[in-house]
Amino acid sequence: MLILGFQGSPRKKGNTNYLLSVFMEAAEALGAQTRIIEAAQKHIVPCLGCGFCEKKGICITKDDDMTLEIYPLLREAEVVVLATPIYFYNVPAQLKALIDRSQTLWSRKYKLKLTDPARHYRRGFLLAQGATKGKNLFEGVELTAKYFFDAVGAEYHGSLSYRHIEAVGDMEKHSAIHTDVKNSVDRLISPLLDRKKILFACRENACRSQMAAAFAQYLAGDKIEAVCAGSEPAEKINSDMVKVMAEKGIDMGFRKTRFLDKAVSELQPDMIITMGCGEACPFIPGMQRLDWNLPDPAGKPLDVMRNVRDEIEKKVKALVKSTLG
Ligand SMILES: Cc1cc2nc3c(=O)[nH]c(=O)nc-3n(C[C@H](O)[C@H](O)[C@H](O)COP(=O)(O)O)c2cc1C
């Protein structure tokens, strides 16, 4: 399970950085994988407000870190943490640029009516701190964070916020931070760690295993941790597969292929389901394995892809029923 944290302060070793690091260490101690994105270190072009994403579902800026790295991470992550200092009652400009660019995901959801399969179980959490003591200090960032989480398909699960934190080192001196963080992390991620872990695998991880994992996430992602991978992953997922999943309203945008070995070592699955690529299908000794023996629809007419999609949906529904009772 990936926990993605956005560190919003341009001060590299400041209070926000400390707070987020404590949070991520607590998550790792429970067995989660973590990744921190330093917003100020990334090349993120601010949103141009051009409306391109509302029609096409992708951003017109194609070669910055938002498109190349952050959209895919936002789709892979199951928990998103926004960590920020207060700058004029809101977030620093570099983090705001990142948040504004999530308009592309907002457009996919609200304009193109596509459902990200993880939308109903992905969780969002806010960490904030600022120098002053005012009652309304966090109102601005809370509103911004809630709207951001909604756009990226994460349910807002609360916040930790600290007043009267100003100089570097102030956060470290705060007496309650470790207990606060531990309690919040336990509540936030423990339910997701208890899920049954299923790895869907085929050779290229471009079509069948992608559809299977997406249906499993869509239908039961709160109870099954579904991941997919391939023994020889293709460079990209299959565009016809993306099309036929969109016909069902399921958003496969920004998903990537991944290596089987890495997925096995990170996920440590309870079960592996292969798609039926004959000799090329991965076999992992000692692991519960099921083979679905599905035909490879890559390069065939769209109707073949549709039939395989429907077959996979049926099989995932039956799997969910038998796994969860
Ligand atoms: C440009 C700027 C604007 C700020 N605006 C506010 C503010 O509106 N309210 C506040 O309480 N603190 C404000 N601060 C103080 C920071 O929130 C505070 O020093 C915080 O601890 C910095 O976090 P960091 O160490 O992670 O950078 C501001 C600081 C800067 C540099």
Side-chain angles (χ1 to χ4, degrees), residues 7-18 84-90 129-134 137 164-170:
Q7 201 288 96
S9 173
R11 206 146 66 166
K12 280 191 195 155
K13 299 234 155 89
N15 295 308
T16 310
N17 175 64
Y18 182 76
T84 185
I86 302 298
Y87 273 22
F88 289 84
Y89 285 90
N90 215 297
Q129 49 77 30
T132 56
K133 289 184 177 171
L137 183 57
H164 205 25
I165 304 290
E166 186 162 19
V168 172
D170 281 354

Side-chain angles (χ1 to χ4, degrees), residues 190-252:
S190 293
L192 295 175
L193 289 167
D194 286 343
R195 294 172 295 170
K196 188 172 171 96
K197 297 172 180 185
I198 301 182
L199 175 61
F200 297 92
C202 59
R203 192 164 53 84
E204 292 200 327
N205 187 215
C207 273
R208 289 165 294 177
S209 55
Q210 289 283 346
M211 290 193 273
F215 277 124
Q217 291 171 342
Y218 182 67
L219 295 166
D222 54 339
K223 301 195 178 68
I224 292 175
E225 184 171 355
V227 166
C228 62
S231 49
E232 292 167 40
E235 215 171 286
K236 285 186 193 156
I237 60 172
N238 182 298
S239 54
D240 285 346
M241 180 276 291
V242 174
K243 245 184 242 162
V244 303
M245 289 297 272
E247 289 170 2
K248 301 273 296 183
I250 295 183
D251 189 359
M252 301 298 285

Side-chain angles (χ1 to χ4, degrees), residues 6-163:
F6 293 110
Q7 201 288 96
S9 173
R11 206 146 66 166
K12 280 191 195 155
K13 299 234 155 89
N15 295 308
T16 310
N17 175 64
Y18 182 76
L19 182 55
L20 182 59
S21 308
V22 171
F23 192 95
M24 294 308 220
E25 276 163 27
E28 279 170 16
L30 291 182
Q33 268 112 42
T34 63
R35 173 87 183 261
I36 292 178
I37 295 289
E38 299 273 345
Q41 307 304 313
K42 293 292 171 187
H43 170 48
I44 299 175
V45 177
C47 177
L48 304 175
C50 64
F52 187 82
C53 65
E54 294 187 11
K55 295 189 186 79
K56 305 282 181 192
I58 53 170
C59 186
I60 199 157
T61 305
K62 292 193 174 74
D63 54 0
D64 71 350
D65 290 331
M66 197 69 200
T67 293
L68 300 176
E69 183 183 14
I70 297 172
Y71 292 135
L73 281 172
L74 277 165
R75 286 313 201 206
E76 187 189 340
E78 295 186 295
V79 175
V80 179
V81 182
L82 198 62
T84 185
I86 302 298
Y87 273 22
F88 289 84
Y89 285 90
N90 215 297
V91 301
Q94 297 90 337
L95 182 59
K96 188 61 167 48
L98 187 155
I99 289 172
D100 289 351
R101 288 283 298 284
S102 70
Q103 179 73 359
T104 295
L105 302 183
W106 181 95
S107 293
R108 296 180 79 87
K109 178 176 176 179
Y110 289 109
K111 293 285 178 182
L112 305 181
K113 310 280 184 218
L114 291 170
T115 298
D116 176 63
R119 190 206 287 177
H120 62 100
Y121 64 90
R122 186 183 289 115
R123 296 175 168 204
F125 197 84
L126 170 68
L127 299 171
Q129 49 77 30
T132 56
K133 289 184 177 171
K135 179 162 90 44
N136 305 329
L137 183 57
F138 300 109
E139 278 184 5
V141 284
E142 272 171 16
L143 283 173
T144 303
K146 283 177 185 167
Y147 203 57
F148 168 70
F149 289 135
D150 182 67
V152 304
E155 195 187 330
Y156 178 65
H157 266 258
S159 67
L160 283 176
S161 49
Y162 298 92
R163 292 178 170 79

